[in-house]
Amino acid sequence: MKPALSPRVVLGAFMLVLLVAPLVMPPFYVTLLNYIGLYALVALGLVLLTGVGGLTSFGQAAFVGLGAYTTAVLTTATELPAWLAWAGGSPWLALGVGLVFTATVAFVLGSLTLKLSGHYLPLGTIAWGISLYFLFGTLETLGGHTGLTGIPPIALFGFELTEGRHIFYLIWVFLLAAVFTTQNLLDSREGRAIRALKGGMVMAEAMGVDTARSRMVIFVIAALHACASGWLYAHLQRFVNPTPFGLHIGIEYLFMAVVGGAGQVWGALLGAGVITIVKQWLQDILPQLFGQSGNFEVIVFGLMMIVILQRAREGLWPIFARLVPVKVTRRTLDAAAEPLPKKPLPARGEVILEAKEVTRKFGGLVANNAMSLSVKAGEILALIGPNGAGKSTMFNQISGVDTPTSGEVLFLGKPVAGRGSREIARMGMSRTFQHVKLLPTMSVLENVAIGAHMRGDKGVFPAAWRLDRAEEARLLNEAARQIERVGLAEHMFDAAGSLALGQQRILEIARALAADPCLLLLDEPAAGLRFKEKQALAELLRKLRGEGMGILLVEHDMDFVMGLVDRVVVMEFGQKIAEGLPEEVQQNPAVLEAYLGGVE
């Protein structure tokens, strides 16, 4: 096994190569590196959007076109409207205008497109990508299909970047700045919210993440990366026409992100480099091989994509990382960080949750019929019943995943029926899930820190530029405290997916506790647990009850429930058939009939 290298050594060597490359390489290869940098900037946005956020876009080339055409028009037009004349003639002012314009367009398109899901989302990006492409070629002010010429070079400190080796450094400064800010963003509260999108909207919203906002954030950031690439491209080429901004180029950008490693920040650079170099080789070799000219490289790329999707779905970056191993720096916790503020728990015995006559109908099916229950602070209430009794539906009515057809749900004396999961979670209700919803490649610490999302407020810009470190230390310390509280301290830095099922369920409880709730909703937490794990879980729940936490427990394991809870509510066919102490419910004829099919 090769010895792992320090990240600083690898980065230093890479920076040195970039510094020397344009001084020693022929102009052709410098140009090739320039295009790799431009393409990688767009692919980086797709890594954030598609690889991390799970949103597939085929339209990024259109955003490149917005950046290119904005600067082309502003720097070549002889007459501009009075309100825009101040930006005329200056590439740097044109960059600012282009970024604002692109962000605005992206926000409008995102507001329409991001409401779509499944295969409709990529189809939507294809639709506006094609529309913008034809718009570029149709408007006379943009030069039609002929394009715009005479774009001036970028001037930096009075020096004009007229040659490829001159603009080389600017392109790579833009790319490296985008790489580092993206890495910083992902290593933050905002970044965990973005990564939580892949864990499912229900889970993310239950942890207080505004999923619509997070989706819009990465959509706009990806568009801004593409805009900056278009700006650089226009001043490198000194000419623009619609050809580089079509749908086929948008697909190529997505191909770069996937080939490099759609979930890896540095994979964008690797993918752009591999595709650009291989494309150049194929364009030189294949016509000679076949004896005629043609776009044969497209066929090869199609086959390559199929092979990669079958054999290396994580892209080439994991393979490259094994060839050049880099030491992984374990995150350190700041013991001196100030603890997060905690809300006072309600007085023991106070009713914190009350459901009154809750009915939920799905067409002709009545899933919950006039269901009522209440939970007090410092109490564990079990909601039990046979499969199909309507327990999960009731759970969803309480937690905000669904809205009752009629009836009322009060939490801390306030009606919550019809409110979203995020708003209810902010009030002090937190939950786990019947089927574990974790981010398996993230560490235990980071998964639990998602639960503390609502207890921070630093946004995208502070995260990207490392201005959120004090708050981040407090959030991670809180996550570590909850991990220790549930007995998983030795696994704090392990990947969540490496834990046994029982430990994953305990991890979900730690994540819920990180939100500082006064009421825990646990959906079958003992499912799949071994005897010792159930004992540990029961001990944890007793400890939480002793601290004054209210707990609503949906469970099938009667032995686990009856030895733990204070009261039991039994459901069958959507209705409550019994309520009382565990020993009373166990003797109830209606309950025995529901579970055993009858009594003698």
Side-chain angles (χ1 to χ4, degrees):
M1 182 180 291
K2 295 181 180 179
L5 301 172
S6 166
R8 291 185 178 182
V9 171
V10 175
L11 181 60
F14 179 66
M15 299 283 281
L16 182 62
V17 170
L18 288 180
L19 190 64
V20 174
L23 304 177
V24 299
M25 297 179 74
F28 171 78
Y29 290 105
V30 174
T31 300
L32 204 61
L33 286 175
N34 283 337
Y35 281 106
I36 290 172
L38 293 175
Y39 297 154
L41 193 53
V42 185
L44 178 62
L46 283 169
V47 164
L48 189 62
L49 185 65
T50 303
V52 178
L55 307 175
T56 303
S57 173
F58 291 98
Q60 295 308 106
F63 290 131
V64 179
L66 286 179
Y69 271 106
T70 300
T71 194
V73 169
L74 291 178
T75 56
T76 61
T78 55
E79 293 185 10
L80 289 170
W83 60 273
L84 200 54
W86 59 272
S90 169
W92 290 102
L93 291 177
L95 172 61
V97 173
L99 291 172
V100 172
F101 179 55
T102 300
T104 304
V105 172
F107 182 81
V108 173
L109 292 175
S111 298
L112 300 172
T113 309
L114 297 179
K115 294 178 181 178
L116 304 173
S117 60
H119 60 277
Y120 295 108
L121 174 58
L123 286 175
T125 66
I126 289 173
W128 55 252
I130 292 174
S131 299
L132 288 175
Y133 168 70
F134 281 106
L135 186 67
F136 297 148
T138 302
L139 293 179
E140 292 184 7
T141 54
L142 302 183
H145 286 285
T146 304
L148 296 172
T149 59
I151 300 173
I154 297 170
L156 194 61
F157 304 114
F159 179 73
E160 291 190 343
L161 309 180
T162 54
E163 299 180 18
R165 63 189 178 88
H166 294 156
I167 201 173
F168 171 90
Y169 294 110
L170 185 62
I171 290 173
W172 283 86
V173 164
F174 266 68
L175 175 60
L176 292 177
V179 166
F180 293 133
T181 53
T182 301
Q183 284 184 316
N184 292 344
L185 175 61
L186 293 176
D187 183 28
S188 70
R189 168 183 174 270
E190 283 281 359
R192 286 189 294 273
I194 292 167
R195 287 187 283 173
L197 295 174
K198 274 198 166 182
M201 299 300 174
V202 173
M203 182 277 285
E205 287 281 337
M207 295 301 109
V209 175
D210 186 341
T211 56
R213 177 185 174 278
S214 293
R215 286 157 67 96
M216 182 62 77
V217 162
I218 57 177
F219 189 77
V220 171
I221 289 175
L224 292 177
H225 284 167
C227 171
S229 178
W231 177 76
L232 290 163
Y233 169 82
H235 292 286
L236 171 66
Q237 288 287 93
R238 316 277 293 279
F239 160 79
V240 293
N241 71 359
T243 304
F245 314 125
L247 181 62
H248 65 293
I249 303 299
I251 294 172
E252 197 166 298
Y253 285 135
L254 190 59
F255 191 19
M256 291 175 185
V258 172
V259 167
Q264 304 292 334
V265 171
W266 286 99
L269 176 54
L270 179 62
V274 169
I275 295 301
T276 305
I277 294 171
V278 170
K279 183 178 181 179
Q280 186 62 48
W281 286 347
L282 293 176
Q283 286 176 340
D284 293 339
I285 296 170
L286 292 180
Q288 298 178 12
L289 190 63
F290 291 106
Q292 58 181 347
S293 60
N295 295 325
F296 299 113
E297 73 277 2
V298 177
I299 300 172
V300 175
F301 283 158
L303 295 173
M304 184 189 301
M305 181 63 119
I306 293 171
V307 171
I308 287 176
L309 290 176
Q310 287 184 337
R311 302 294 183 182
R313 294 189 177 184
E314 299 300 317
L316 300 179
W317 181 256
I319 300 173
F320 180 80
R322 286 196 293 270
L323 296 175
V324 186
V326 177
K327 291 179 182 176
V328 177
T329 305
R330 174 174 285 190
R331 184 189 291 274
T332 56
L333 298 172
D334 182 2
E338 184 182 348
L340 292 174
K342 289 179 62 65
K343 297 190 292 284
L345 289 172
R348 185 178 297 276
E350 178 184 337
V351 175
I352 55 176
L353 175 70
E354 190 171 11
K356 299 179 179 179
E357 301 292 315
V358 171
T359 297
R360 183 64 173 106
K361 298 179 181 179
F362 297 96
L365 174 66
V366 181
N368 290 148
N369 187 11
M371 272 295 301
S372 297
L373 58 81
S374 64
V375 181
K376 300 175 183 177
E379 174 189 53
I380 302 178
L381 174 72
L383 180 61
I384 67 172
N387 288 331
K391 303 184 300 298
S392 294
T393 304
M394 187 63 187
F395 207 77
N396 289 337
Q397 311 310 304
I398 293 170
S399 60
V401 175
D402 199 6
T403 303
T405 306
S406 64
E408 189 176 28
V409 179
L410 300 175
F411 178 52
L412 298 177
K414 298 178 181 178
V416 295
R419 298 191 186 189
S421 299
R422 187 172 70 255
E423 188 178 355
I424 295 174
R426 191 170 291 279
M427 293 172 66
M429 185 190 301
S430 199
R431 64 169 294 180
T432 64
F433 297 88
Q434 181 178 358
H435 303 290
V436 174
K437 295 183 184 295
L438 298 172
L439 297 165
T441 59
M442 286 172 58
S443 69
V444 168
L445 180 68
E446 289 178 302
N447 269 276
V448 174
I450 292 173
H453 178 81
M454 296 177 293
R455 302 172 72 181
D457 58 13
K458 297 296 184 184
V460 174
F461 185 83
W465 294 101
R466 279 288 200 255
L467 303 176
D468 65 338
R469 294 299 91 184
E471 179 184 89
E472 180 70 359
R474 298 175 72 191
L475 293 173
L476 292 177
N477 272 9
E478 176 65 19
R481 190 175 76 83
Q482 299 302 340
I483 292 168
E484 292 170 355
R485 187 180 186 186
V486 301
L488 290 177
E490 62 182 307
H491 299 289
M492 190 173 300
F493 300 102
D494 296 344
S498 68
L499 302 185
L501 176 60
Q503 293 171 321
Q504 291 182 358
R505 292 195 178 279
I506 297 293
L507 170 55
E508 276 207 321
I509 295 175
R511 184 179 64 191
L513 290 173
D516 189 27
C518 63
L519 174 65
L520 271 181
L521 306 183
L522 305 181
D523 198 351
E524 300 192 22
L529 270 61
R530 296 185 290 268
F531 179 71
K532 291 285 187 183
E533 292 172 329
K534 289 179 183 178
Q535 284 185 318
L537 173 60
E539 186 58 35
L540 171 63
L541 297 184
R542 290 190 185 99
K543 182 169 68 172
L544 295 175
R545 175 178 59 189
E547 294 173 2
M549 186 82 66
I551 300 173
L552 174 59
L553 179 72
V554 173
E555 189 52 75
H556 281 291
D557 189 327
M558 291 302 99
D559 290 335
F560 176 77
V561 167
M562 295 304 175
L564 171 67
V565 305
D566 300 293
R567 290 187 301 119
V568 180
V569 171
V570 187
M571 292 182 67
E572 185 183 26
F573 301 122
Q575 300 182 79
K576 180 165 66 174
I577 61 172
E579 180 176 2
L581 300 175
E583 54 270 21
E584 295 173 350
V585 168
Q586 285 178 302
Q587 303 300 321
N588 189 303
V591 176
L592 293 174
E593 183 173 358
Y595 273 93
L596 303 177
V599 293
E600 296 182 1

